[in-house]
Each structure stands twice: as structure tokens, then as C-alpha cells.
Amino acid sequence: MPPPRLLASALPRSVQLLSRRTYASSARVPLAFDLYEAPSGASDPKNGSIIFMHGLFGSRKNNRAISKILSRDLNRTIYAIDLRNHGDSPHDPRHDYSAMADDVAGFIEEHKLKDTTLIGHSMGAKTAMTLALKSPEMVRDFVSVDNAPIDAQIGRKFGQYVQAMKKIEDADTTKQSEADKILQDYEESLPVRQFLLTNLYRPTGEKIQKFRIPVKTLGAALDHMGDFPFKDPGQVRFEKPALFVRGTKSQYIPDEALPIIGKFFPRFELADIDAGHWVISEQPEAFRNAVVEFLKPKE
């Protein structure tokens, strides 16, 4: 998703950012992350850490501003992670929600996190839901941003983005402006183009730009990225709190999906926000308010 347009100038200096990696078992991918420490220097012992997950073609950098602000407002430590095949995390031929959820489970185990809250947008949302259903003991609650536990086709735009990125790679572009000119044939929105081009970089000692993400791998995965690995809510449920943030101008959480959400997640709450699929960047303050209200300590 595009980077949140948030102003962080008012944040306390005590909010610190650290970049690290984790190392998990061979069956899992070690996830790159940024750590945003709670302003007090240590999270309230009653509150666990938060793991923030981006959407398809995104990275942890997209959630930098909102992570700082939520860490401040909730006094909780936040780990903004790169899911497999994104950002600085390793590439792997397998790209599905079960594998991504297992990576996050390994991350939680490696860091010995307890009472963890998951926040995920789009692809990250289905990853959060998958882990909550698969390993509910690892998850205290979660926030799903504009996605539902249903099988649905992802927007056709994503396939067009893959075509554009392949064309950019084949063109051996040396400047960002050259890549953007190609991308304009596939996407009119400048913020979305800028978001996609954050994946473009120039390897050391080379003139030709390349994409950090494995374009072919993600392109091949598109057909099942709209699927959800759990089909029968009668067999598995997550009985803890869950917040579903819906962009009212988006098609990813239709009204007919709400009963299914309720069966998988009987304690879910719904927050409607006047936005499209890119809820966090389009309506950052409304998103912040919804998340803080849901996650703030209850009296």
C-alpha cells in the first residue's frame, strides 16, 4: 500500500527506530523488520507488542509513520515487518498465506513475544487472520485492514502492475523517470506509481535498476492471493477480539462477507472508513482513531 501521509513532527524523541533481522528454522523465512519502541522505553506489562504487516508489493517502510504514531498513542512496541518476497526479507518460490503466517509465527517465537496484536493491510490482513485461526494462542487480538476471510478475486490492477514491472525490467531502465513513464500506461495515480516504484533500486556497481521483489514469483502467485486457506468456520474459530477496518469505497469486504466474518471471528467489530482499498494512506486519522479505540486498555 502507498506510504501513509502522516505528520510525525510532534512525536516524542523517545520513539526509537532500530533495523534488525531474525533467524528462524529452515522451513521459515527470516523476516526483516523495524522496531518502534514504546515511548516509555518499555511497554506496559499489561500490553503485548504489535506486529504490523503490509500489503502486496509493499514493505515495512509503508507503515513507518503510522507505526510511530500508534506506538506513541498506545505506549506499545511495534514491529513493522517485511513479509516474504517483499522489502528486505528473503525470496522464496512459495508465496501463500499459510507460509506467510508460519513466518510470522517463527518471528513471534524468535522474539519471545507474548499477547501479540497483529495489524495487517490487504495481504497482511489475510496473513493475520490465518495465523489467528491456525495458532490462536500466539495472538491476543488483530486488526484486519480491508480484507475478509473469503475467497475472492484480487483487483485486476495487480496483474497489470506485474506486467508493467516486467516491462520495466526488460527495458533496462537507468532512471526512476524512465520507469515511471512506462508505468503511466498501466496506472494513472501518481501516489500508486510512487508506491510501486519504491521496490525499484540500483544494485551496487550497476547502472541498470532492478526490483527488490521477485516479480515472476509474485506474478505466479496472483491467482491464489485472493483465496483464504480456511473454508469452514464450523471447524475453526478465533474467540478473541478482532477489528475489521473497511474502506467503504472498496470491494474487499462486501456486506455479504460480514456473516462469514462473524462465524470465523465471533467477537469481531467493524469500523467503516470513507476510503478505497488504501485506507491507511487515504484516511490516516480515521484509521488511527479506529485502531486506538479498539486497542486501548479497557476499564
Side-chain angles (χ1 to χ4, degrees):
M1 77 188 173
R5 292 189 279 273
L6 296 174
L7 295 177
S9 58
L11 293 175
R13 294 183 179 179
S14 56
V15 176
Q16 297 180 0
L17 169 63
L18 301 174
S19 295
R20 301 177 183 170
R21 282 182 178 272
T22 62
Y23 298 88
S25 67
S26 59
R28 292 163 169 167
V29 165
L31 302 178
F33 70 97
D34 289 337
L35 174 62
Y36 301 86
E37 293 185 339
S40 64
S43 295
D44 187 316
K46 293 181 292 186
N47 298 332
S49 297
I50 297 173
I51 295 178
F52 209 134
M53 294 171 283
H54 58 81
L56 185 61
F57 304 142
S59 74
R60 68 189 193 276
K61 294 179 180 178
N62 303 146
N63 297 319
R64 179 179 295 163
I66 188 64
S67 293
K68 291 179 180 179
I69 288 174
L70 290 177
S71 177
R72 175 201 67 190
D73 290 350
L74 295 167
N75 193 32
R76 294 177 65 178
T77 293
I78 295 182
Y79 295 82
I81 64 174
D82 284 335
L83 296 168
R84 64 169 55 199
N85 294 314
H86 288 77
D88 293 323
S89 287
H91 298 175
D92 190 278
R94 182 180 176 186
H95 194 82
D96 57 55
Y97 293 114
S98 294
M100 286 186 280
D102 196 42
D103 291 342
V104 178
F107 187 91
I108 291 173
E109 291 172 354
E110 180 71 19
H111 290 271
K112 298 180 174 58
L113 303 181
K114 303 294 183 182
D115 294 326
T116 306
T117 292
L118 306 177
I119 302 178
H121 172 254
S122 195
M123 179 181 75
K126 279 193 171 176
T127 300
M129 287 183 266
T130 300
L131 181 57
L133 292 171
K134 185 177 181 180
S135 302
E137 73 282 357
M138 286 187 163
V139 182
R140 185 173 86 176
D141 47 27
F142 71 83
V143 177
S144 168
V145 187
D146 210 49
N147 219 335
I150 57 175
D151 291 341
Q153 289 187 337
I154 67 171
R156 62 182 180 84
K157 279 282 190 179
F158 289 103
Q160 295 175 355
Y161 297 155
V162 169
Q163 294 177 15
M165 287 187 279
K166 288 180 178 178
K167 189 171 182 179
I168 289 169
E169 287 189 327
D170 291 341
D172 290 339
T173 60
T174 59
K175 298 179 180 178
Q176 189 100 342
S177 58
E178 295 172 353
D180 183 64
K181 186 174 182 180
I182 294 173
L183 192 54
Q184 286 177 29
D185 292 336
Y186 299 83
E187 177 55 61
E188 293 181 359
S189 170
L190 177 59
V192 174
R193 296 202 309 271
Q194 291 173 332
F195 155 64
L196 292 170
L197 292 176
T198 60
N199 291 295
L200 202 62
Y201 80 111
R202 182 179 291 101
T204 303
E206 298 186 25
K207 294 183 178 180
I208 305 300
Q209 295 180 318
K210 300 181 183 298
F211 282 101
R212 287 189 176 87
I213 57 176
V215 176
K216 292 182 179 179
T217 297
L218 295 179
L222 286 181
D223 286 343
H224 60 256
M225 288 312 295
D227 297 343
F228 189 65
F230 293 95
K231 309 301 180 184
D232 185 0
Q235 294 183 348
V236 59
R237 284 186 173 190
F238 180 75
E239 303 282 355
K240 303 174 188 178
L243 174 66
F244 283 75
V245 179
R246 175 169 65 172
T248 57
K249 298 176 182 176
S250 171
Q251 80 278 15
Y252 283 91
I253 308 182
D255 287 342
E256 53 267 31
L258 298 181
I260 300 173
I261 293 173
K263 291 179 180 179
F264 276 119
F265 309 104
R267 294 182 61 188
F268 91 98
E269 300 175 24
L270 180 68
D272 280 342
I273 292 179
D274 183 22
H277 185 54
W278 313 112
V279 178
I280 302 174
S281 61
E282 292 179 37
Q283 295 284 1
E285 184 60 17
F287 175 77
R288 184 195 70 82
N289 287 335
V291 173
V292 170
E293 179 63 27
F294 175 68
L295 293 179
K296 70 182 183 182
K298 305 299 188 288
E299 296 297 334

